[in-house]
Amino acid sequence: MLIDRSHSYSPSFGALQMLAPKTAELFSAIAYYAPTMQARSASRVVVKTFLKDAMEAVAVFDEEETAVRWLVSFNSET
């Protein structure tokens, strides 16, 4: 799954708490495309807070092309 953080938004705390335990069932990998410092910081907080125990294949990237390449390579390895 590619999460595009190029526009500012904030999913609710409750929504993140509900979704995090199910992420490993729903997705094999998650790539955050976060082109700004603020987006990268917020994405890293979400990963640390909600996803670190749910799944290992989560990464934050500042370039969309790099994020997509990582997802494709991850998918071809599994």
Side-chain angles (χ1 to χ4, degrees), residues 46-77:
V46 169
V47 170
K48 276 186 185 177
T49 305
F50 297 102
L51 298 175
K52 70 177 170 115
D53 296 327
M55 64 187 304
E56 293 179 26
V58 180
V60 179
F61 300 90
D62 58 356
E63 294 180 0
E64 184 176 14
E65 185 178 324
T66 308
V68 171
R69 248 193 329 258
W70 179 79
L71 284 171
V72 170
S73 71
F74 180 85
N75 191 41
S76 62
E77 292 174 7

Side-chain angles (χ1 to χ4, degrees), residues 12-65:
S12 74
F13 183 80
L16 289 169
Q17 279 185 306
M18 279 182 33
L19 290 172
K22 300 186 183 304
T23 55
E25 296 172 28
L26 300 171
F27 310 105
S28 57
I30 297 175
Y32 277 83
Y33 162 52
T36 66
M37 186 182 308
Q38 294 84 357
R40 283 190 294 280
S41 177
S43 298
R44 287 185 184 114
V45 168
V46 169
V47 170
K48 276 186 185 177
T49 305
F50 297 102
L51 298 175
K52 70 177 170 115
D53 296 327
M55 64 187 304
E56 293 179 26
V58 180
V60 179
F61 300 90
D62 58 356
E63 294 180 0
E64 184 176 14
E65 185 178 324

